[in-house]
Amino acid sequence: MEQQQHIAQALEMLINNFNQYFPLNTKECEEVKRVFTPRIVKRKAYLLQEGEVCQHYYFVVSGCFKMFAIDADFKEHNLQFAIENDWVADFQSFYDKTPSKLYIEAVEPAIVLQIAHADLLYLYINYHKFDRNFRIIIERKFIDYQNRILQNISSTAEERYIAFQKQYPHLLNRLPNTQIASYLGITSEFLSKVRKKISSK
Amino acid sequence: MEQQQHIAQALEMLINNFNQYFPLNTKECEEVKRVFTPRIVKRKAYLLQEGEVCQHYYFVVSGCFKMFAIDADFKEHNLQFAIENDWVADFQSFYDKTPSKLYIEAVEPAIVLQIAHADLLYLYINYHKFDRNFRIIIERKFIDYQNRILQNISSTAEERYIAFQKQYPHLLNRLPNTQIASYLGITSEFLSKVRKKISSK
DNA sequence: TAAGGAACTTAAACTAGTTTAACTATCTTT
DNA sequence: AAAGATAGTTAAACTAGTTTAAGTTCCTTA
């Protein structure tokens, strides 16, 4: 059946993702296939909304998500985008079991593989390799965040936009500029001005 | 001898730090005592300078550090401060063995316990618990960074300074305002203005 | 104990980025 | 095919934050 083949492909993608770090053995692969479950997400649907406890850690198989907060003036601020092969969750809520202040919304129709908190703990406790691989995954995300903070405190909006273009060329076509502006911490009107200035060079 | 007692105290602090997460057994404690070595750092001395490969992961026993980058205009931008019980390193350089773009400098006389890259790998490979505990340590730092990014893209300098006061009251007294301004991503002149405005309320 | 250097403040002139508003184009849904 | 929402641009008036410079205090080290 077609559906089952899609699931098999998604799981293969996930296992390949783990294998980039410390490859899984047969038993570990079986456990992954057992505890990760697929989920189809429509455009504009949420994986997480403010006030909910983040119950799952998500691996993105296809599509694109934005994770954002809404401030007192009802403005959205994009913390990160997640596309194929990315991991996304609100860790603070996921590990502390506290209500999240964040939203995770599909900006394109998407497929994810999700693992529940208890299942992840099960993997951590029984297989050294998942502590290892998730440590490495989070370390890489930490490095990305650190570089982004450095940019935020040291560069102008124009410099940050140019850096974004270089670092995420594949996202430029997939996201409206309003979303990129929100990620960069500027208004979309000002991004428009910046883009005009750059293109006139 | 007095020196040895200081070292014993520092190691106890380190082990207590690990024990906050998943407590170490006797063998793991012994290994920690074997592979972490103490280092005394004078004020204004560096643990890391731009161009060097970050060879150690540092646990701060006492004192205070700033980690920063220097931009094209020779201005410093503080990425983080580290005091007692904090961990500090440039991960990108440490794991990839690439020259660092960062500096780690003592702003107070300090004592650290350092572990070399190879020794950390040894712990990771032989003891599940270190992968586990360092995963948790980095996850917490990741959450802090994420909250900071959200602040940077969504709040004014005044709001960020007030948040800093709340989150790090103990750092306010230990750091000159110039260093805090650099951390917040503003000039010290503007921080002066912000502080005046706040105090006049 | 003198002197040089950090640290802090103030202020005036400037620039980067926001706000509000209006217009156009494109997509989405019915 | 129409209608409404979403996206992008422009511009004028505004505000947040920078730059340069000068003056003061405090701290450090010779």
Side-chain angles (χ1 to χ4, degrees):
Chain A
M1 195 183 148
E2 204 192 341
Q3 173 86 354
Q4 297 229 329
Q5 213 176 351
H6 281 144
I7 296 175
Q9 277 173 15
L11 284 166
E12 200 189 326
M13 209 171 133
L14 171 59
I15 287 165
N16 283 336
N17 186 274
F18 282 125
N19 287 348
Q20 285 184 262
Y21 308 107
F22 286 78
L24 306 185
N25 62 32
T26 310
K27 180 74 176 127
E28 289 157 348
C29 285
E30 274 171 27
E31 292 281 30
V32 163
K33 289 173 186 170
R34 192 174 64 76
V35 297
F36 278 87
T37 62
R39 180 160 158 192
I40 291 170
V41 190
K42 288 183 189 161
R43 196 172 106 88
K44 298 200 181 180
Y46 295 97
L47 288 179
L48 177 68
Q49 284 183 269
E50 186 173 7
E52 294 172 5
V53 172
C54 184
Q55 306 281 6
H56 299 94
Y57 198 175
Y58 302 100
F59 174 77
V60 182
V61 174
S62 65
C64 183
F65 292 89
K66 60 176 176 178
M67 182 162 88
F68 62 95
I70 295 186
D71 70 16
D73 299 326
F74 306 106
K75 286 182 187 158
E76 295 184 7
H77 301 280
N78 287 339
L79 271 162
Q80 61 166 268
F81 302 116
I83 58 168
E84 308 83 61
N85 276 300
D86 278 343
W87 291 87
V88 66
D90 175 5
F91 280 103
Q92 192 153 19
S93 173
F94 184 70
Y95 284 116
D96 299 349
K97 305 266 189 195
T98 54
S100 179
K101 292 167 186 164
L102 306 179
Y103 298 79
I104 302 174
E105 181 188 333
V107 296
E108 293 173 3
I111 297 171
V112 299
L113 286 166
Q114 65 181 29
I115 182 170
H117 186 264
D119 288 326
L120 185 58
L121 287 195
Y122 168 84
L123 291 185
Y124 284 157
I125 290 164
N126 294 288
Y127 302 89
H128 187 163
K129 201 172 289 161
F130 291 101
D131 262 316
R132 166 82 49 88
N133 281 350
F134 280 106
R135 173 181 58 74
I136 296 170
I137 288 167
I138 192 75
E139 278 169 359
R140 308 236 165 167
K141 290 172 86 68
F142 178 85
I143 291 168
D144 285 345
Y145 268 7
Q146 180 162 289
N147 289 329
R148 184 151 164 226
I149 289 172
L150 181 55
Q151 286 243 326
N152 282 338
I153 65 177
S154 68
S155 304
T156 63
E158 181 177 341
E159 289 164 341
R160 265 140 54 210
Y161 179 64
I162 290 170
F164 183 89
Q165 287 182 310
K166 267 191 202 158
Q167 195 177 0
Y168 303 109
H170 48 293
L171 282 180
L172 278 181
N173 322 304
R174 287 172 77 170
L175 289 167
N177 287 326
T178 46
Q179 296 304 322
I180 294 171
S182 165
Y183 177 93
L184 295 175
I186 57 175
T187 59
S188 67
E189 292 87 349
F190 190 60
L191 178 55
S192 220
K193 211 188 272 188
V194 165
R195 283 160 48 80
K196 191 182 178 189
K197 187 181 167 199
I198 291 172
S199 70
S200 74
K201 279 182 183 169
Chain B
M1 196 181 147
E2 203 191 341
Q3 173 87 352
Q4 297 231 331
Q5 213 176 354
H6 282 145
I7 295 175
Q9 277 174 15
L11 285 166
E12 200 189 327
M13 207 172 136
L14 171 60
I15 286 164
N16 283 337
N17 186 273
F18 282 126
N19 287 348
Q20 284 184 262
Y21 309 108
F22 286 79
L24 306 186
N25 62 34
T26 311
K27 179 73 176 130
E28 288 157 349
C29 285
E30 274 172 29
E31 291 282 29
V32 163
K33 288 173 186 169
R34 192 175 64 76
V35 296
F36 278 87
T37 60
R39 180 161 157 191
I40 292 171
V41 190
K42 287 184 189 161
R43 195 170 108 90
K44 298 198 180 180
Y46 296 97
L47 289 179
L48 177 69
Q49 283 183 272
E50 186 173 7
E52 294 173 3
V53 171
C54 182
Q55 307 279 7
H56 299 93
Y57 198 174
Y58 302 99
F59 174 77
V60 181
V61 173
S62 66
C64 182
F65 292 90
K66 60 178 178 177
M67 183 163 87
F68 62 95
I70 295 185
D71 70 15
D73 299 326
F74 306 105
K75 286 183 186 157
E76 295 184 7
H77 300 280
N78 286 339
L79 272 162
Q80 61 167 269
F81 301 117
I83 57 167
E84 309 82 64
N85 275 300
D86 279 343
W87 292 87
V88 66
D90 175 5
F91 281 103
Q92 192 154 19
S93 173
F94 184 71
Y95 284 117
D96 299 349
K97 306 265 188 194
T98 53
S100 178
K101 293 167 185 163
L102 305 178
Y103 298 78
I104 302 175
E105 181 188 334
V107 297
E108 293 172 2
I111 297 171
V112 298
L113 286 165
Q114 66 182 28
I115 181 170
H117 186 263
D119 288 326
L120 185 58
L121 287 195
Y122 167 85
L123 292 184
Y124 284 157
I125 290 164
N126 294 288
Y127 301 89
H128 186 163
K129 201 171 289 162
F130 291 102
D131 262 316
R132 165 83 49 87
N133 282 350
F134 280 106
R135 174 180 59 73
I136 296 169
I137 288 166
I138 190 76
E139 277 169 0
R140 310 239 164 163
K141 290 172 86 69
F142 178 85
I143 291 169
D144 285 344
Y145 268 7
Q146 179 162 292
N147 288 329
R148 183 153 165 224
I149 289 172
L150 181 55
Q151 286 243 327
N152 282 338
I153 64 176
S154 69
S155 304
T156 63
E158 181 178 343
E159 289 164 340
R160 265 141 54 210
Y161 178 64
I162 290 169
F164 183 89
Q165 286 182 310
K166 267 190 201 158
Q167 196 178 358
Y168 303 109
H170 48 293
L171 282 180
L172 278 181
N173 322 303
R174 288 172 77 169
L175 289 166
N177 287 326
T178 45
Q179 296 304 323
I180 294 171
S182 166
Y183 177 93
L184 296 174
I186 57 177
T187 59
S188 66
E189 292 87 350
F190 190 61
L191 179 55
S192 216
K193 212 188 273 188
V194 165
R195 282 160 48 79
K196 192 184 178 187
K197 187 181 168 198
I198 291 171
S199 71
S200 74
K201 279 183 181 169

